[in-house]
Amino acid sequence: MRVLGVDPGLTRCGLGVVEGERGRVRMVAVGVVRTPSDAEPGQRLVYLESQFDQWLEKFGPDVVAVERVFADVNVASVMTTAHATAIALLVAARRGIPVVFHTPTEVKAAVTGTGRAHKAQVSGMVMRILRLTEPPRPADAADALALAVCHVWRGEAQASIDAARKALDARRVAT
Amino acid sequence: MRVLGVDPGLTRCGLGVVEGERGRVRMVAVGVVRTPSDAEPGQRLVYLESQFDQWLEKFGPDVVAVERVFADVNVASVMTTAHATAIALLVAARRGIPVVFHTPTEVKAAVTGTGRAHKAQVSGMVMRILRLTEPPRPADAADALALAVCHVWRGEAQASIDAARKALDARRVAT
């Protein structure tokens, strides 16, 4: 199973691809898509769309795992994060790739064993799990790798895909 | 000037097109795009994308006016509203059409003279302004018409377009 983890954002969007199964996961790719904060909002989404699509085309993930963001922090940043998430959903859906969401707490718990882990603990465990000799670069994308690992690690991958496929099939039948 | 007003939503997205200038505005079209709440989220966005694009193609607005939503109500509904907004931004940007945002208070104030107007007052004023003999149908889309009227009414249209174009040009120069 190959998973693309997405840490959604408009200024910086972390992307990380891992492959394998629980207990045996390797890193395939890691990166960050940046858009200038002074650019027109719609143009930033157009760029993000093209970059997401290139990653899906190049790495062909079986599933996309996105961080589920709650509206409990800065309103403006939550909105732009939600916009980036929408583009990921859209682009993946066009290719028929299921998208699953994991909360930051779920990611921390899956990777370190505790939902209250610090950033450094998560990064350290991601290095161990992926057998990296140094922290993933760019640092912004470490969270995306953790998300992807989380998805494999939690062993829920297949169930989520089945559920997404089922919803998709139900809609196809309905239309 | 022709304006497409968008009352963003995933379950129901109101769309209304008006044309004219301050003091003389007519309704061109009104409608609602619905997506089934039990469908896969990404597929709902794909459908919304195709519908937005058809409206832009068919009615060729000079500007798209979208309701600015704040994260102070139900978290889940704010997120799906933000997703719908992102798709509107994306599709308009692809066609080089500027998108402007107005808050619900701005819309009420522009159309009725008070930011605290009730829904019925707004609907009544939209009818008078657009010289409709009955309330706009479907009712869900009345807010979209109010948004579009607001944009013309506030007399800020040209300034907003200029600002958007300027930002776009600045980005083009930068890339």
Side-chain angles (χ1 to χ4, degrees):
Chain A
M1 145 151 318
R2 186 174 273 209
V3 181
L4 167 62
V6 178
D7 183 21
L10 207 47
T11 304
R12 281 186 306 275
C13 184
L15 299 170
V17 182
V18 305
E19 188 172 61
E21 55 201 50
R22 190 174 172 85
R24 200 166 49 95
V25 195
R26 72 180 183 93
M27 183 176 88
V28 176
V30 65
V32 169
V33 176
R34 292 184 172 82
T35 71
S37 55
D38 60 347
E40 198 270 320
Q43 289 301 329
R44 299 175 77 183
L45 297 183
V46 169
Y47 181 72
L48 207 54
E49 178 194 25
S50 73
Q51 294 299 303
F52 277 151
D53 209 50
Q54 281 180 29
W55 275 69
L56 294 182
E57 175 69 29
K58 188 167 181 182
F59 298 109
D62 301 298
V63 58
V64 175
V66 182
E67 185 174 304
R68 187 184 294 283
V69 178
F70 293 105
D72 58 354
V73 282
N74 178 293
V75 172
S77 93
V78 164
M79 285 298 152
T80 56
T81 301
H83 290 180
T85 298
I87 304 306
L89 270 169
L90 176 77
V91 174
R94 275 204 219 113
R95 290 176 176 266
I97 302 172
V99 176
V100 293
F101 289 91
H102 297 293
T103 66
T105 304
E106 286 170 347
V107 174
K108 287 175 187 173
V111 174
T112 71
T114 166
R116 297 179 176 186
H118 296 294
K119 222 171 173 59
Q121 286 175 272
V122 174
S123 177
M125 277 307 293
V126 166
M127 280 181 63
R128 282 184 58 184
I129 292 165
L130 297 175
R131 293 175 300 279
L132 307 176
T133 51
E134 49 186 62
R137 303 255 178 249
D140 286 325
D143 286 345
L145 282 177
L147 257 161
V149 167
C150 163
H151 188 69
V152 178
W153 225 240
R154 290 183 88 201
E156 292 181 2
Q158 200 51 51
S160 301
I161 292 172
D162 290 346
R165 288 257 159 79
K166 209 169 145 189
L168 204 58
D169 290 343
R171 190 165 176 276
R172 281 197 187 116
V173 169
T175 53
Chain B
M1 149 153 315
R2 187 174 273 210
V3 182
L4 167 63
V6 178
D7 182 21
L10 207 47
T11 304
R12 281 186 305 275
C13 184
L15 299 170
V17 181
V18 305
E19 188 173 60
E21 54 201 50
R22 188 173 174 86
R24 199 166 52 93
V25 196
R26 71 178 184 93
M27 182 176 88
V28 176
V30 65
V32 169
V33 176
R34 292 184 171 84
T35 70
S37 56
D38 59 347
E40 197 271 319
Q43 289 301 328
R44 298 174 77 182
L45 297 182
V46 168
Y47 181 71
L48 207 53
E49 178 194 26
S50 73
Q51 293 300 302
F52 277 151
D53 210 49
Q54 282 181 27
W55 276 68
L56 294 181
E57 176 71 27
K58 187 166 183 183
F59 299 109
D62 301 298
V63 57
V64 175
V66 182
E67 185 174 305
R68 188 185 292 284
V69 179
F70 294 105
D72 58 354
V73 280
N74 179 294
V75 172
S77 94
V78 164
M79 285 298 151
T80 56
T81 302
H83 289 180
T85 299
I87 303 306
L89 270 169
L90 176 77
V91 174
R94 274 203 219 114
R95 289 176 176 264
I97 302 172
V99 176
V100 294
F101 289 90
H102 297 293
T103 66
T105 304
E106 285 169 346
V107 174
K108 288 176 187 171
V111 174
T112 70
T114 165
R116 295 179 177 187
H118 295 297
K119 222 170 172 61
Q121 286 176 272
V122 174
S123 178
M125 278 304 295
V126 166
M127 278 180 65
R128 282 184 59 184
I129 293 164
L130 297 175
R131 294 176 299 282
L132 306 176
T133 51
E134 49 185 64
R137 303 253 176 251
D140 286 325
D143 286 344
L145 282 178
L147 257 163
V149 167
C150 163
H151 188 69
V152 178
W153 224 242
R154 291 181 89 201
E156 292 182 359
Q158 199 52 51
S160 301
I161 291 172
D162 290 347
R165 287 259 158 77
K166 211 170 142 188
L168 204 58
D169 290 342
R171 192 168 175 274
R172 281 196 186 117
V173 170
T175 52

